[in-house]
Amino acid sequence: MSDNTQPIRDIVASVLQAAADKQTLTIRGGGTQQFHTGLVHESTALRLDRYTGIISYEPSELVITVRAGTPLRSVESMLASRGQQFAFEPPRFGPNATIGGMVATGLSGPRRSFSLALRDAVLGIKIINGKGEVLSFGGEVIKNVAGYDVSRLFCGSYGTLGVILEVSLRVMPRPPVELTVVRETRTADACQAIQSVRQQVPNLSGLAYDSGRLYCRLAGSEASVAKSVALLGGEVSEQAAGFWRQLKDQELPFFREPGPLWRVSVPPAAPQGNFGARFVYDWGGGLRWIKTDATAEQVRAGTGQLGGSAVLFRSEESRLLDVSASLSAPAIALHRRLKSAFDPMGVFNPGLLFPAGQHHAD
Amino acid sequence: MQKITRAELAAELAGGLPAGAVLAQPEQIAPFECDGLAVYRQTPLLVVLPESVDDVRHVLQVCSRHAVPVVTRGAGTGLSGGALPDKDGVLLVMTKFNRILDIDEDNRLARVQPGVRNLAISDAVRPYGLYYAPDPSSQIACSIGGNVAENAGGVHCLKYGLTVHNVREVTVVTIDGEVLTIGSAAYDSPGYDLLALMNGSEGMLGVIVEVLVSLQPIPETTRTLLAAFNNVEAASDAVAAIISEGVTPAGLEMMDNPAIRAAEDFVHAGYPVDAAALLICEMDGLSDDVEAEIRLTEGLLKRAGATDIRTARDDAERALFWAGRKSAFPAVGRMSPDYYCMDGTIPRKHLAAVLKTMETLSEESGLRIANVFHAGDGNLHPLILFDANVPGELEKAEQLGSKILQTCVELGGTVTGEHGVGMEKLTPMCVQFNAGELTQFHDLKAAFDEHGLLNPGKAVPSLHRCAEFGAMHVHDGQLPHPDLPRF
Ligand SMILES: Cc1cc2nc3c(=O)[nH]c(=O)nc-3n(C[C@H](O)[C@H](O)[C@H](O)COP(=O)(O)OP(=O)(O)OC[C@H]3O[C@@H](n4cnc5c(N)ncnc54)[C@H](O)[C@@H]3O)c2cc1C
């Protein structure tokens, strides 16, 4: 694979050229999330999808190091062939999703609330900053407190701080047994039902609600899973693997219905909230996908009261993810200073996450 | 700007603080001159003990105004000199922030002040069937604020993660006196992952005044195995075999012969004193899962060549297995007037090789090394035994330590797994990071603290220092910072 790898110096050259010309660059992996990272125009695109390949993978070390442009699907099938997986179950919003995009957007799937988040699994990173410098932080070991945790800072930074070149991730063994029990549950009872399963069942690996059904995924040894199945009642679903995939990849019918999609992150035991909304719940109630006629202000204020936050994830009006409404003024100022610390000329993904500030171009 | 005098500073600080919050007398200040790494000592200008967030804001605003350095201190158990005072600065001691503010049973969260001791959290939430998982050996003494600042680990972080994996939100006062809430009670929050930056920030980015930790249900069953080996290679192979078989022990610890003997002398845990290496392997969770893992692990240990495998029959025996491990540091302390604790991490596969290298380095230097460490995550804690009263031995110990850390970096590891860089590991940081990376760290710090008033001179070495070091240690024929001027 390393033969057809694009050399790092080409990518560095593009960054230096853009900085010199006072141009901006839009970093593009597989281009599967343009619905909220903005449409990429060829003229300003910095493409990473030719920087591919698994650099090292030793199953006994539980670590894999991958180039950013590598398709997520090929990495996941490599892990599966050795009985391992990413514990955070990353979503794929298209077949071309890349490892770099996965880390840059920082999203985790259904297992997140029972295991690790993506950012928890990131051990090290190699980046290019806005000055065109290739820098490495962290490494391949689980415990590492040398220097600030730049690797995790890049998780969910949407490419605004720099180009992710390579990343080392912790992988986990697949559980010996994993199966899903489905229970019919009325919409009005969804929160309550989730809450009681969370309290009752110790070996969950997924707990979600969609269209009148509660999905409880159990993981562990044959014996412990059987016990929890008996405890839960309900029926063991044969098609559940498809459900969990459709949930994380946003392919359930709910996601295809018209209307803006909100991503609401709250403490899992929070009540339903009052948005007159249609919803899908993931993460045992901690992640709520919502479609509602309420205004943005109402949604944000409502989730704030529940102790969490809401981000407009997909909408026809806005294609540029903007989280600044959820941040205090000093927090936005700090975000801008951090961006400047990595990208002083403001080369990368301007306007994504928060409106571009003034840059000290020197 | 005219430099403020000590008396003027004391008066201005006292003006906005409760009576008795400012300590200025030498005998009041003396107890704070070092943290857990007692070889470094320094008297601060003043010590301040704030009681409220407003007190902290006041101190930071005054210090900011007069460009006075501020070093924050939790319980002072740090092992890298992170809380070492600055001679021209204020030492901000957080011990009065000692209240548990809220326990949220449904969401398994506890809101605490930073001065609360690590173990006090688990004690407080036990009635709810919960506990706080990260368990540094110092947990009866160290503070949660210090844990966040160091991203502390412990015996059980192989399965349950480090502090960074178990903290949901922190409230921070910036050097300008601004209050920032970072994270929330939800699993994630919009924007940059500032929470990850605060974990392991070593008091460099802000003062932590509140912490929301996530809690775990107390496991249904806990079982502990003890396995003895004739050589360290076999023990290291056993570690690799267990992990690669898909078992995630709650803890997987290793001791070498000097550590085994010291511990056995001290607590009489029944350890086999002739063994070259001892593994302590703990499984927890649901009884059925744990039984399956124990059976699997016993088989793996046998195949790896364990000469003696014992499974604790009850909690009393389990406690005894751990007693030796947990008291290994004081036990080694009895063997030698002084010891120096290292903290490198390596990829597990190199365990045996690094232990061999250490044996050679130990013979070369004439200083003994005892090893007791977190084998499951490759985090080594070589204890270098020396006598500070013998001229030159401290320097010898430090040199030996540097060589060990250099080996860790060469093998793809790190100079510090959980104790932090502080004052102690500034030079080894020059081996691990190049000038560009160190500059990026300094720029990141400046985004929080433009004038470098928080814990100055710690955690990230200056390029100047690395250049001087590079001139002394030419590595692989390559200067670490060829582009920098030499002095
Ligand atoms: C016997 C012994 C065993 C140990 N075992 C372990 C172990 O198993 N695992 C492990 O990880 N560590 C261990 N340690 C090291 C130490 O206990 C930890 O680093 C601990 O987290 C330090 O907490 P503290 O409250 O004592 O912090 P301090 O030593 O007071 O401070 C440590 C650092 O944190 C900063 N700081 C403290 N409080 C705040 C705050 N509120 N806001 C901002 N910055 C702050 C300080 O400036 C300093 O840089 C051990 C130490 C001893 C003495």
Side-chain angles (χ1 to χ4, degrees):
Chain A
M1 245 191 195
S2 53
D3 283 343
N4 49 26
T5 288
Q6 175 189 16
I8 290 181
R9 63 167 190 283
D10 289 358
I11 310 174
V12 169
S14 307
V15 173
L16 290 174
Q17 190 64 53
D21 296 348
K22 299 210 178 349
Q23 295 295 314
T24 62
L25 290 172
T26 311
I27 306 167
R28 184 185 188 278
T32 60
Q33 295 201 38
Q34 292 184 45
F35 60 84
H36 69 194
T37 61
L39 279 177
V40 179
H41 299 291
E42 274 313 309
S43 61
T44 59
L46 181 64
R47 293 185 55 157
L48 265 291
D49 56 355
R50 285 177 300 137
Y51 190 64
T52 58
I54 292 170
I55 295 169
S56 68
Y57 173 38
E58 282 176 78
S60 65
E61 291 286 313
L62 303 182
V63 177
I64 190 165
T65 300
V66 193
R67 294 196 183 90
T70 317
L72 177 53
R73 108 186 95 78
S74 68
V75 176
E76 289 199 292
S77 49
M78 164 72 94
L79 296 177
S81 73
R82 306 300 299 262
Q84 297 186 336
Q85 62 186 7
F86 287 135
F88 49 90
E89 242 181 327
R92 282 185 230 159
F93 294 130
N96 299 331
T98 62
I99 288 286
M102 171 186 92
V103 175
T105 54
L107 299 169
S108 304
R111 204 177 278 106
R112 189 265 175 257
S113 53
F114 308 98
S115 182
L116 298 179
L118 174 135
R119 56 89 94 160
D120 296 329
V122 168
L123 303 178
I125 201 161
K126 185 190 269 192
I127 60 147
I128 306 177
N129 68 9
K131 293 187 261 178
E133 296 168 328
V134 178
L135 309 175
S136 295
F137 300 98
E140 298 199 333
V141 291
I142 299 171
K143 277 169 121 176
N144 189 349
V145 293
Y148 305 114
D149 197 344
V150 175
S151 317
R152 292 199 171 95
L153 178 65
F154 268 68
C155 300
S157 66
Y158 279 84
T160 56
L161 297 173
V163 183
I164 297 168
L165 282 178
E166 291 162 16
V167 55
S168 295
L169 292 142
R170 183 176 185 181
V171 299
M172 299 283 245
R174 282 168 172 264
V177 177
E178 189 162 58
L179 55 80
T180 301
V181 171
V182 181
R183 291 209 315 213
E184 302 294 325
T185 305
R186 291 185 325 167
T187 305
D189 300 335
C191 270
Q192 195 51 48
I194 285 184
Q195 196 46 24
S196 78
V197 171
R198 270 184 69 232
Q199 300 294 354
Q200 240 180 11
V201 183
N203 48 354
L204 291 164
S205 73
L207 179 58
Y209 180 87
D210 173 45
S211 319
R213 300 174 131 205
L214 186 65
Y215 294 80
C216 315
R217 189 170 62 185
L218 308 160
S221 66
E222 193 110 31
S224 74
V225 168
K227 263 189 200 159
S228 293
V229 170
L231 184 77
L232 271 169
E235 97 194 73
V236 174
S237 159
E238 301 302 327
Q239 285 90 46
F243 167 78
W244 295 108
R245 198 189 55 71
Q246 289 181 313
L247 170 63
K248 79 179 171 67
D249 297 347
Q250 301 194 342
E251 289 172 6
L252 295 169
F254 164 84
F255 291 104
R256 284 197 229 110
E257 289 161 16
L261 176 70
W262 286 90
R263 181 182 189 275
V264 171
S265 189
V266 287
Q272 205 129 305
N274 204 1
F275 317 111
R278 287 162 294 137
F279 58 79
V280 164
Y281 283 1
D282 195 358
W283 294 1
L287 179 63
R288 304 174 182 188
W289 298 101
I290 286 181
K291 293 191 169 174
T292 175
D293 298 327
T295 65
E297 288 69 31
Q298 287 169 327
V299 176
R300 289 202 189 96
T303 41
Q305 274 163 17
L306 299 179
S309 55
V311 167
L312 189 55
F313 197 79
R314 285 181 197 254
S315 93
E316 292 304 320
E317 285 89 67
S318 158
R319 277 187 161 264
L320 215 50
L321 190 72
D322 183 352
V323 301
S324 56
S326 307
L327 303 175
S328 67
I332 294 180
L334 178 58
H335 274 69
R336 292 215 166 99
R337 290 196 302 273
L338 270 173
K339 174 159 172 74
S340 289
F342 282 86
D343 179 19
M345 310 288 284
V347 173
F348 302 121
N349 292 6
L352 195 52
L353 282 187
F354 47 90
Q358 257 120 45
H359 287 283
H360 334 276
D362 49 334
Chain B
M1 186 167 48
Q2 183 73 39
K3 214 170 136 190
I4 190 169
T5 68
R6 186 161 176 273
E8 285 165 354
L9 183 65
E12 195 170 337
L13 287 170
L17 295 171
V22 180
L23 308 183
Q25 299 306 319
E27 67 278 9
Q28 293 176 307
I29 292 184
F32 298 102
E33 65 181 18
C34 70
D35 62 8
L37 184 64
V39 291
Y40 296 113
R41 286 172 191 276
Q42 179 62 59
T43 312
L45 202 58
L46 294 170
V47 171
V48 178
L49 289 117
E51 289 175 27
S52 69
V53 175
D54 280 338
D55 292 353
V56 173
R57 296 183 62 202
H58 170 72
V59 174
L60 293 179
Q61 278 160 350
V62 169
C63 289
S64 229
R65 195 152 57 235
H66 298 290
V68 172
V70 179
V71 176
T72 311
R73 175 181 165 117
T77 68
L79 292 175
S80 54
L84 180 75
D86 188 294
K87 77 174 177 4
D88 300 317
V90 164
L91 187 73
L92 190 67
V93 180
M94 299 301 286
T95 42
K96 290 200 169 163
F97 280 75
N98 59 1
R99 285 187 305 132
I100 293 177
L101 302 172
D102 182 43
I103 297 168
D104 177 350
E105 188 184 1
D106 288 343
N107 289 305
R108 294 180 185 151
L109 299 169
R111 188 173 289 280
V112 302
Q113 292 188 320
V116 170
R117 288 172 306 112
N118 172 296
L119 191 59
I121 302 177
S122 289
D123 286 345
V125 302
R126 189 168 303 118
Y128 304 93
L130 300 169
Y131 76 112
Y132 176 64
D135 57 343
S137 309
S138 52
Q139 70 181 151
I140 50 167
C142 63
S143 75
I144 189 70
N147 289 174
V148 173
E150 298 286 16
N151 188 14
V155 166
H156 290 99
C157 55
L158 181 58
K159 181 166 176 182
Y160 296 102
L162 305 155
T163 306
V164 67
H165 304 114
N166 292 277
V167 168
R168 219 44 96 59
E169 179 196 300
V170 294
T171 307
V172 173
V173 181
T174 66
I175 187 65
D176 308 317
E178 203 110 55
V179 180
L180 280 180
T181 303
I182 294 173
S184 70
Y187 288 110
D188 58 19
S189 303
Y192 292 150
D193 199 334
L194 304 178
L195 198 53
L197 284 185
M198 291 314 301
N199 279 278
S201 57
E202 301 198 17
M204 306 284 290
L205 305 182
V207 177
I208 298 157
V209 292
E210 198 171 292
V211 184
L212 183 68
V213 297
S214 64
L215 306 168
Q216 301 284 336
I218 295 172
E220 184 181 288
T221 307
T222 305
R223 300 283 302 274
T224 308
L225 288 169
L226 196 69
F229 292 84
N230 278 336
N231 58 73
V232 290
E233 286 86 353
S236 306
D237 290 346
V239 171
I242 292 169
I243 305 283
S244 61
E245 202 54 42
V247 179
T248 307
L252 184 51
E253 300 283 305
M254 185 156 151
M255 297 168 78
D256 71 359
N257 183 271
I260 297 169
R261 282 177 186 275
E264 185 56 25
D265 269 2
F266 192 41
V267 295
H268 311 293
Y271 289 169
V273 290
D274 294 330
L278 202 60
L279 286 183
I280 304 176
C281 180
E282 184 156 286
M283 315 289 182
D284 67 13
L286 298 176
S287 315
D288 296 314
D289 296 352
V290 170
E291 285 316 316
E293 286 177 348
I294 287 276
R295 273 195 304 278
L296 181 62
T297 306
E298 278 173 342
L300 293 168
L301 289 168
K302 258 191 215 116
R303 234 170 301 149
T307 51
D308 183 10
I309 302 174
R310 298 181 215 163
T311 311
R313 281 173 305 242
D314 49 29
D315 280 352
E317 190 168 14
R318 198 167 75 74
L320 197 60
F321 284 4
W322 276 114
R325 163 64 184 88
K326 295 222 165 169
S327 62
F329 284 39
V332 168
R334 300 196 323 161
M335 287 164 64
S336 163
D338 299 284
Y339 67 85
Y340 189 37
C341 173
M342 313 300 300
D343 177 41
T345 302
I346 48 158
R348 264 182 307 264
K349 63 183 168 194
H350 296 307
L351 266 182
V354 171
L355 292 171
K356 275 273 163 261
T357 306
M358 272 197 257
E359 245 176 70
T360 316
L361 290 173
S362 160
E363 278 161 23
E364 279 171 19
S365 70
L367 295 179
R368 288 177 299 163
I369 300 180
N371 270 295
V372 25
F373 59 94
H374 313 300
D377 35 38
N379 185 196
L380 306 168
H381 287 323
L383 302 174
I384 302 173
L385 312 187
F386 70 100
D387 184 348
N389 288 325
V390 177
E393 279 224 336
L394 170 62
E395 291 70 26
K396 234 186 342 181
E398 285 181 332
Q399 273 169 21
L400 175 55
S402 278
K403 281 187 193 155
I404 293 174
L405 294 185
Q406 196 156 330
T407 309
C408 293
V409 174
E410 281 162 9
L411 294 171
T414 176
V415 298
T416 173
E418 58 181 15
H419 295 166
V421 174
M423 203 59 197
E424 180 207 14
K425 297 182 204 79
L426 288 170
T427 302
M429 284 286 282
C430 305
V431 179
Q432 189 165 337
F433 295 100
N434 66 31
E437 288 150 359
L438 295 172
T439 303
Q440 189 65 77
F441 285 144
H442 289 302
D443 290 351
L444 187 159
K445 151 106 174 152
F448 286 82
D449 173 20
E450 194 185 346
H451 303 293
L453 292 177
L454 289 170
N455 221 359
K458 309 267 183 71
V460 183
S462 67
L463 299 188
H464 189 123
R465 181 190 186 107
C466 291
E468 284 187 341
F469 165 71
M472 293 185 298
H473 299 248
V474 180
H475 183 56
D476 286 344
Q478 245 194 328
L479 289 171
H481 303 281
D483 45 338
L484 285 178
R486 308 275 144 183
F487 304 95

